[in-house]
Amino acid sequence: MSESEKKKIISNKNRHTSRDSTAKSLSGRAATISRHKDSADVKQPTILLKNKEVPSDEVSITKKVPKESKEAEYLMGATPTKEPPEVAPPIVKQMKKSMKLIEEGVINIDHLQDYLQENRDFIVVGVVGTQGVGKSTILNLLAETKVSEQVKEARFKSQTESMRDSYSDDSILPNKDKDEVGFIHNVETVEDIENSVNATHGINIYVSPNRVIFLDCQPILSLAVLDRLIENENKRSSLVGDFVPVENSGEIQGLQLTGFLMSVCHVLLVVQDWFFDSNVIRFVQTAEMLKPTISNPEDEYCEHSPHLIMVHNRAQMSDFTPAKFKVMQRAYELLFQKTKMHFQSNLGLASGRVLNTFNAENCGNPVNLYLIPEILPDSETVAGKVLKGHPPLEDLVKKLKANIYGATKSSLTHVQLTEKTWVVYCNKVWETVKKSPFFVEYTKLMP
């Protein structure tokens, strides 16, 4: 091969090599351009910046400050969060008059739900006593915000007048609704006593605005109750059972209601109008003996005993002397020395907080004994002047109310109850009392 042919072959190879490199560079440049074009269509990722580190002491402060506090968020430099809209609390109705809890031996709690709250800070006060001693009147005074002159004038009018006619007289209560004066519980009139008719049947309930539940019971050892049971044979059998004799049905029903109050009340008032009725003392002790023990689903028994306060209504001047009061206290101390109820819990008149002369030094060991003076229908008493020998009625009622509200509340069950769960517990207690065989067995021992 000649030299010229070799040069021509080498030049052709160089030309093809340069063409291949140029083609490769063009294809690489086109691929780069298409790659940039495709990447332009892709969304760029968001770059998150790391927050500034907070010192350990500031972190502890942040943990202690609640998220709901707008002031804390503002101080920490955070953007205040939008709070959810506030939900209005349910409206709780206020009772203007007492309602039925137990009537004709049947307990009804459905109509009470609108008047009760999910509140644990409440106290239950019950009252028992014979007919016409002033049970409903004392509860009305305790339920009053203030014992005003209008209330006293309407309540303690002359006993010789018909109280029903006096209530219809608008001149007694000018510019004021009669229900607002304090007639929360029905009181007996002179006509009721003359006709042997009791004003309260079963147990009435009233829930005050300051969350105190008052239970007003029908009279115990009452001929009016017995007469009503004898007239209604069907009601008598449904109330106390077929195995109770007719002559004992009134007392057995009273024992059942009293045992029920001892199981559901924090404070039990026993009202008398003279010192002292031995039948009432025997009745209270019998009710405590026959009161059944309430159990829960876990088979745990809870023995509850309320505070017992003996209230003497219509007390005379001589009853407010330390010597007479000492004799009364000593008698009750001996009568209730074996009771499981709290009878020496410093809720009486001799605690030293009501009258300076009524203390342990002058009156002996204090028991829960309280005196409410007799209000005479003369003009000086109705006008509210201080009676000689004892403080005015307003002060005594105020002190009694303070003693009741300040009493230590023992637990009714093994769990803490609210107002709504309390009425459910009442239903359970009443069914247990009605089914208890103790009351039927007790009738065999009665004369």
Side-chain angles (χ1 to χ4, degrees):
M1 184 182 292
S2 62
E3 190 69 28
S4 61
E5 289 178 354
K6 290 182 181 179
K7 291 181 180 179
K8 187 181 291 186
I9 291 171
I10 293 171
S11 63
N12 290 333
K13 288 183 179 180
N14 294 335
R15 190 180 300 114
H16 285 298
T17 304
S18 62
R19 285 179 184 176
D20 294 339
S21 62
T22 304
K24 289 182 180 180
S25 63
L26 290 176
S27 62
R29 190 177 303 173
T32 305
I33 293 172
S34 62
R35 196 182 303 117
H36 284 291
K37 186 177 180 180
D38 295 338
S39 62
D41 297 335
V42 179
K43 187 178 179 180
Q44 296 296 326
T46 304
I47 300 176
L48 298 178
L49 298 178
K50 186 178 179 181
N51 293 332
K52 185 180 179 181
E53 295 184 358
V54 183
S56 59
D57 54 350
E58 294 186 10
V59 172
S60 61
I61 296 175
T62 306
K63 292 182 180 180
K64 294 180 181 179
V65 177
K67 295 182 179 179
E68 293 78 7
S69 177
K70 292 184 178 180
E71 295 81 0
E73 291 179 348
Y74 176 76
L75 292 175
M76 297 303 298
T79 304
T81 58
K82 185 177 180 181
E83 293 184 353
E86 295 183 358
V87 180
I91 299 176
V92 180
K93 297 181 180 179
Q94 297 293 337
M95 285 190 183
K96 295 183 178 180
K97 198 172 181 64
S98 62
M99 305 176 69
K100 288 293 182 183
L101 179 64
I102 297 178
E103 185 178 17
E104 304 297 346
V106 179
I107 184 170
N108 186 11
I109 63 176
D110 296 335
H111 64 297
L112 302 175
Q113 297 298 327
D114 295 336
Y115 301 94
L116 302 174
Q117 300 178 358
E118 294 291 346
N119 169 44
R120 292 184 173 89
D121 189 13
F122 68 98
I123 187 170
V124 185
V125 181
V127 61
V128 294
T130 55
Q131 186 172 356
V133 296
K135 304 182 298 298
S136 301
T137 301
I138 291 178
L139 285 187
N140 287 333
L141 293 176
L142 292 175
E144 284 288 338
T145 305
K146 181 180 180 181
V147 183
S148 61
E149 297 300 324
Q150 280 185 325
V151 173
K152 292 169 59 178
E153 185 177 355
R155 293 198 177 282
F156 303 108
K157 281 185 64 69
S158 175
Q159 298 296 323
T160 58
E161 301 179 8
S162 175
M163 299 184 72
R164 283 177 180 159
D165 295 337
S166 66
Y167 292 161
S168 62
D169 186 5
D170 293 336
S171 62
I172 299 177
L173 308 174
N175 301 325
K176 193 175 182 69
D177 189 4
K178 297 176 182 58
D179 291 337
E180 296 180 1
V181 180
F183 298 107
I184 298 169
H185 299 277
N186 295 328
V187 296
E188 288 186 350
T189 65
V190 176
E191 295 176 1
D192 291 337
I193 298 176
E194 292 175 351
N195 297 329
S196 185
V197 176
N198 54 302
T200 305
H201 302 283
I203 294 180
N204 295 339
I205 181 174
Y206 173 74
V207 183
S208 66
N210 52 359
R211 317 321 299 168
V212 179
I213 301 176
F214 295 99
L215 300 180
D216 187 14
C217 183
Q218 70 181 25
I220 60 175
L221 305 174
S222 173
L223 294 177
V225 175
L226 179 60
D227 182 58
R228 190 162 173 263
L229 291 175
I230 293 175
E231 290 180 356
N232 301 277
E233 181 68 23
N234 296 331
K235 293 182 179 180
R236 183 186 67 83
S237 60
S238 63
L239 289 176
V240 295
D242 299 327
F243 304 101
V244 178
V246 178
E247 61 273 11
N248 298 332
S249 58
E251 183 173 352
I252 293 300
Q253 184 185 6
L255 289 171
Q256 289 178 337
L257 294 175
T258 305
F260 169 79
L261 292 178
M262 290 180 178
S263 300
V264 301
C265 292
H266 298 105
V267 179
L268 181 64
L269 306 178
V270 179
V271 182
Q272 300 179 90
D273 57 356
W274 59 289
F275 176 75
F276 65 91
D277 192 345
S278 59
N279 292 325
V280 174
I281 304 300
R282 176 192 59 81
F283 184 90
V284 173
Q285 293 175 343
T286 304
E288 183 184 7
M289 175 184 65
L290 299 178
K291 180 190 70 170
T293 304
I294 311 300
S295 62
N296 54 52
E298 289 78 15
D299 293 333
E300 297 179 1
Y301 292 94
C302 181
E303 188 70 23
H304 167 71
S305 298
H307 294 276
L308 176 65
I309 302 180
M310 304 298 297
V311 179
H312 276 257
N313 194 23
R314 304 188 183 101
Q316 304 299 317
M317 295 292 181
S318 59
D319 297 333
F320 285 90
T321 58
K324 179 67 177 294
F325 197 80
K326 181 177 182 180
V327 174
M328 298 168 67
Q329 283 202 133
R330 180 57 179 168
Y332 282 119
E333 183 182 5
L334 294 175
L335 290 171
F336 289 100
Q337 60 182 351
K338 294 184 179 180
T339 183
K340 293 184 179 180
M341 293 183 288
H342 307 287
F343 189 55
Q344 295 181 339
S345 50
N346 217 21
L347 302 180
L349 199 63
S351 59
R353 299 190 297 264
V354 183
L355 295 174
N356 295 331
T357 56
F358 280 29
N359 49 42
E361 183 178 354
N362 297 332
C363 302
N365 295 329
V367 298
N368 297 340
L369 174 62
Y370 211 91
L371 303 180
I372 300 295
E374 182 180 12
I375 304 299
L376 301 176
D378 54 69
S379 58
E380 292 185 355
T381 305
V382 173
K385 295 184 179 180
V386 178
L387 298 178
K388 186 177 180 180
H390 60 77
L393 177 66
E394 299 91 323
D395 294 347
L396 290 174
V397 172
K398 184 178 179 181
K399 294 292 185 180
L400 177 60
K401 189 185 304 184
N403 289 349
I404 293 175
Y405 293 176
T408 303
K409 295 188 299 182
S410 58
S411 179
L412 299 176
T413 61
H414 65 291
V415 295
Q416 192 174 6
L417 299 176
T418 63
E419 296 177 14
K420 290 183 177 293
T421 55
W422 172 81
V423 293
V424 178
Y425 176 70
C426 289
N427 191 7
K428 178 182 178 181
V429 171
W430 180 243
E431 293 300 326
T432 305
V433 169
K434 289 182 63 177
K435 297 177 182 178
S436 176
F438 298 154
F439 298 96
V440 179
E441 294 295 329
Y442 178 72
T443 58
K444 301 177 182 179
L445 304 177
M446 297 177 65

